[in-house]
Each structure stands twice: as C-alpha cells, then as structure tokens.
Amino acid sequence: QVQLVESGGGLVQAGGSLRLSCAASGTTFGISVMGWYRQAPGKQRELVATITSGGSTNYADSVKGRFTISRDKAKNTVYLQMNSLKPEDTAVFYCYARRGYDMWGQGTQVTVSS
C-alpha cells in the first residue's frame, strides 16, 4: 500500500510561482512513474507532468516552459515547480504514482487570481 500526500498549494497572483510536493510512503519499491494531474471545475482531470524512475519527463503543452517536475528518489518525493502562473492554471492538483496500478493523492488546491 502506498500513500501520497501533497502539499504546497495555495492562492497566488497571476505571474507568480508555487512549488508543490508529494511524498510517497508505505510500499514505495517499484514505483515506476510519479507525476501531477489537475482538475478544474467542470473539466476532466488532465495530465500536467510526469517523471519516470529513470528521470524521463513528460509535460502537457499548456505548461511547457513554465512548470518543472523533479523527483528525489531517496525521499520518495516528487516536486512541481510552477512559474508564470495563469488564472487558467486554477485547479485541484493531484499527485499520481504508478506501481503496477495507478495511485492518487487527495489533491491540493491551486488558485491563481488575475
């Protein structure tokens, strides 16, 4: 069993920055991918960024050049540095991990005011 706990969400003005963290605990051996998805009100959950155990990254086109995902394998933690935030980035951000099956955190709210 793996638990994912997010932190770092909040309210920020457009153009500002936030850093999200997600710590995995429990049976973390074998986690192949970690990342972030988000869900805005009335919209489907969508990919933001993922990183593999080998360090390969994947980003949604809408965040390329603004967001950076990184991973501290020793701490079983994944980070999402978000810069140049826009009001359309407002959403609940969910931590994601894959260990043969998909796992999700409880979500953290990110609100970007104009």
Side-chain angles (χ1 to χ4, degrees):
Q1 192 80 335
V2 176
Q3 295 78 43
L4 302 174
V5 179
E6 302 107 331
S7 60
L11 173 65
V12 64
Q13 289 188 331
S17 299
L18 282 174
R19 188 192 194 209
L20 304 183
S21 300
C22 173
S25 61
T27 308
T28 59
F29 177 80
I31 292 178
S32 59
V33 181
M34 294 188 74
W36 296 91
Y37 282 68
R38 66 185 179 187
Q39 188 167 17
K43 295 187 177 182
Q44 290 188 330
R45 191 173 296 189
E46 63 177 6
L47 168 75
V48 177
T50 59
I51 185 167
T52 70
S53 57
S56 297
T57 58
N58 181 45
Y59 294 92
D61 288 343
S62 60
V63 307
K64 284 180 180 177
R66 300 188 298 122
F67 292 9
T68 302
I69 190 170
S70 60
R71 181 174 179 178
D72 186 331
K73 294 178 70 175
K75 295 183 178 180
N76 292 311
T77 299
V78 64
Y79 305 96
L80 186 68
Q81 178 65 45
M82 304 186 292
N83 298 329
S84 302
L85 282 160
K86 305 175 181 180
E88 51 264 44
D89 293 316
T90 295
V92 177
F93 281 68
Y94 294 92
C95 181
Y96 163 82
R98 182 185 302 159
R99 183 178 172 269
Y101 53 92
D102 295 342
M103 297 169 285
W104 300 94
Q106 79 285 357
T108 185
Q109 178 70 45
V110 171
T111 303
V112 184
S113 63
S114 56

